[in-house]
Amino acid sequence: MYKNSYITNWVKDVSDLTKPDNIVWIDGSAAEKSRLTAEALRTNELLELNQEKLPGCYYHRTAINDVARVEHLTFICTPTKAEAGPTNNWLEPKAAYQKLTKLFAGSMRGRTMYVIPYLMCSAGSPFCKVGVEITDSIYVVLNMRIMTRMGQVALDQLGDSNDFVRGLHAKGDLSEEHRMICHFPQDNAIWSIGSGYGGNVLLSKKCFALRLASYMARNEGWLAEHMLILGLENPKGEVSYIAAAFPSACGKTNLAMLVPPLSQAGYKVWTVGDDIAWVRIGEDGRLWASNPEAGFFGVAPGTSMKSNLNAMLTIQKNTIFTNVAVTPEKTVWWEGMGVEPPQNCTDWRGNPWTQASKEKAAHPNSRFTTPASQCPVISKEWESPHGVPISAFVFGGRRAKLAPLVYQAYSWEHGVFVGATMASETTAAASGKVGVVRRDPMAMLPFCGYNMQDYFRHWLALGKKIKNPPKIFSVNWFRTNAEGKFIWPGYGENIRVLKWIIARCNNEVSAVESAIGYLPKPEDIDLTGLAAEGVTLETIKELLSVDTKAWVDEIKDQNSFLQKFDNLPAELISELDKLKKRLGVF
Ligand code: SAT
Ligand code: MN
């Protein structure tokens, strides 16, 4: 039993409301893990995978109507709608609590309630924050064990303080009508009911580490971003760190663990984080970033020895697979794994599947939950209390047309504008139509816990506080040709773009001024060994081309997105004007 009376009182209130049969206080021990795993196997919440081939690995299937984040059921509950802003769903807190109280009442009857204290970032670090999640799902407990530092370590950090995020989750009836994910930034609280899917229920992740943390960060003078963090080591052994924002399922995990091709053997990428970066101004006045999580919740389909060798090596043990396909020998399979599909298997719905089946065997948003410490290229700095110093911020999206392979913003303000107006084609990570272009500022559209115009303002203000702010870049790996084929090979070859980015940060290479920003001189992208992939200087020229007419249409769309806001920072309006002038539009 915990001594912290803020926790015990809250647990009492929640159990009075939800009426569980039992309460289990999670300590994070190995014995507890075995006990909970055995229990989940007994109830079929988990299935045991082949323990010889995949030791410590288990499988979970969600309900078929519950496979992704549900943005239309996700709410920011602030006293006024203006605080949540035009891009968030808003509910007035009292009304939200009333609705939720009805949904949660008696929701844990006949079930066990688990109380999980956990840390974001490592204990004792200036970045570190405490959360407590109450849930009635063992799947959540076992995933939180991988994704966070949980149990006693968090209680030790908290002591008798009241400064922790209260996260409450119940599975409820798993119906969409009764599903809500509500955030109360002023109360440090999250209430989520009606789902068992990762992003909706691992409350440490998007709910705390992005939505609530972005709100805290604004008040406390730091940033909580939807960014991977990687270290790029050059042949001299010097490591530069890059933080990069991409929308969900656009390859953050792949980029974070990139394996350079043979021709680039002198370079190495070290993974610090694959999804979230907390960023603070360090004592030296530079920006330092820390990965608040302890595991990766990655998209399985498309992950192969070729696309992400290090992820494949990471997930060979102690991993929970969700909604992938299971083979007769109890191993896992998914589309894009780079191995022949099994003759037959069980698909993510639990139905028999054969090679002749038209349906996908794995859900496009099926996932692995795996410990970061198992990644063969995990950075030795990944748990460093002060984080890693950031040289460059990168904003990326999935754009079949328009956005060049890479360009650099002219200034911090211009970079914030580039981030604020970025767009990407939607993926299976959220429910809804896949492949439509939507504006997704800093890849934070679904994750910013307050009015995005104030978020832009916060970015701009932070830049003014730093003497040498990181340089800001835009990348696009996804440009296609007239036949709809990707022009750039991507994956490990992206190292060539990262090298140019770092060379720019170190003032080692010049660039060409264009209407949209600094472009590389095509010959400055290292093409050694790329001819085999069919990439020539001509390809690079095509990838770097800026189609003025298409950009004129783009700024119309940027403009209509920005029109949603009633009080945009003047700097952004001025950047839009400058872009128009450079494009020759008035
Ligand atoms: O589903 S999650 O929100 O956990 C992952 C993602 O969408 O990036
Ligand atoms: Mn993400």
Side-chain angles (χ1 to χ4, degrees), residues 211-289:
R211 297 195 190 96
L212 290 194
S214 61
Y215 175 87
M216 295 172 189
R218 196 242 330 229
N219 295 337
E220 298 168 8
W222 51 285
L223 295 170
E225 298 301 322
H226 192 203
M227 290 180 173
L228 68 95
I229 311 165
L230 66 80
L232 177 62
E233 183 177 328
N234 70 14
K236 284 188 253 168
E238 298 157 344
V239 184
S240 309
Y241 294 93
I242 297 176
F246 294 77
S248 302
C250 286
K252 280 201 299 299
T253 307
N254 295 344
L255 185 62
M257 299 176 194
L258 178 154
V259 181
L262 276 181
S263 64
Q264 305 291 321
Y267 289 84
K268 221 171 153 42
V269 165
W270 299 103
T271 310
V272 179
D274 82 325
D275 194 40
I276 298 175
W278 284 3
V279 183
R280 284 178 176 272
I281 302 177
E283 276 165 20
D284 60 358
R286 288 188 292 172
L287 282 185
W288 292 69

Side-chain angles (χ1 to χ4, degrees), residues 10 76-79 83 91-98 100 130-132 162-168 182-191 208 211-213 215-216 219 449:
W10 174 54
I76 301 297
C77 308
T78 42
E83 283 164 274
L91 278 177
E92 192 278 316
K94 226 159 116 199
Y97 281 129
Q98 254 167 25
L100 289 163
V130 183
V132 180
N162 190 20
D163 187 12
F164 62 94
V165 167
R166 289 160 164 80
L168 172 55
C182 294
H183 304 73
F184 301 89
Q186 278 86 352
D187 298 347
N188 250 354
I190 307 150
W191 291 43
F208 177 174
R211 297 195 190 96
L212 290 194
Y215 175 87
M216 295 172 189
N219 295 337

